[in-house]
Amino acid sequence: MRWNMTQTASAILETLLQLPTADRGELAARLLESLDAGNDEGAESEWAEEIQTRVEDVRSGKVKTIPWSTAREQILDDTDGGS
């Protein structure tokens, strides 16, 4: 895959890829946060409400969970046309 980055960005990326995994993860999270900053005001509180609703639905028995292996199978079946 060819990325369309400036030489400065490419040099920074090359350096950052040498960092430990935890540091790269933290940097990635911070970069993503910087892209989202101010783009969708109120989204964080709305997501918090949605998460709380879903947790309550599971705890109350309103919805049932399934094992990841089952969910993964269903997702893969849906993405490959069921073949």
Side-chain angles (χ1 to χ4, degrees), residues 2-16:
R2 188 162 177 1
W3 299 96
N4 188 17
M5 289 190 282
T6 64
Q7 286 181 337
T8 302
S10 292
I12 291 170
L13 177 62
E14 191 173 316
T15 300
L16 294 177

Side-chain angles (χ1 to χ4, degrees), residues 1-75:
M1 180 179 286
R2 188 162 177 1
W3 299 96
N4 188 17
M5 289 190 282
T6 64
Q7 286 181 337
T8 302
S10 292
I12 291 170
L13 177 62
E14 191 173 316
T15 300
L16 294 177
L17 289 174
Q18 296 174 30
L19 292 173
T21 303
D23 289 344
R24 292 193 326 262
E26 182 63 29
L27 286 165
R30 298 261 180 113
L31 285 170
L32 288 172
E33 284 175 11
S34 75
L35 294 174
D36 288 339
N39 288 339
D40 196 359
E41 293 179 23
E44 190 170 329
S45 64
E46 290 175 20
W47 273 115
E49 287 178 32
E50 180 66 22
I51 291 166
Q52 186 60 41
T53 299
R54 291 181 185 208
V55 167
E56 289 171 7
D57 288 348
V58 170
R59 286 184 178 155
S60 72
K62 183 177 178 180
V63 297
K64 300 290 183 203
T65 60
I66 60 173
W68 166 243
S69 59
T70 303
R72 185 175 185 276
E73 267 183 47
Q74 290 174 357
I75 292 166

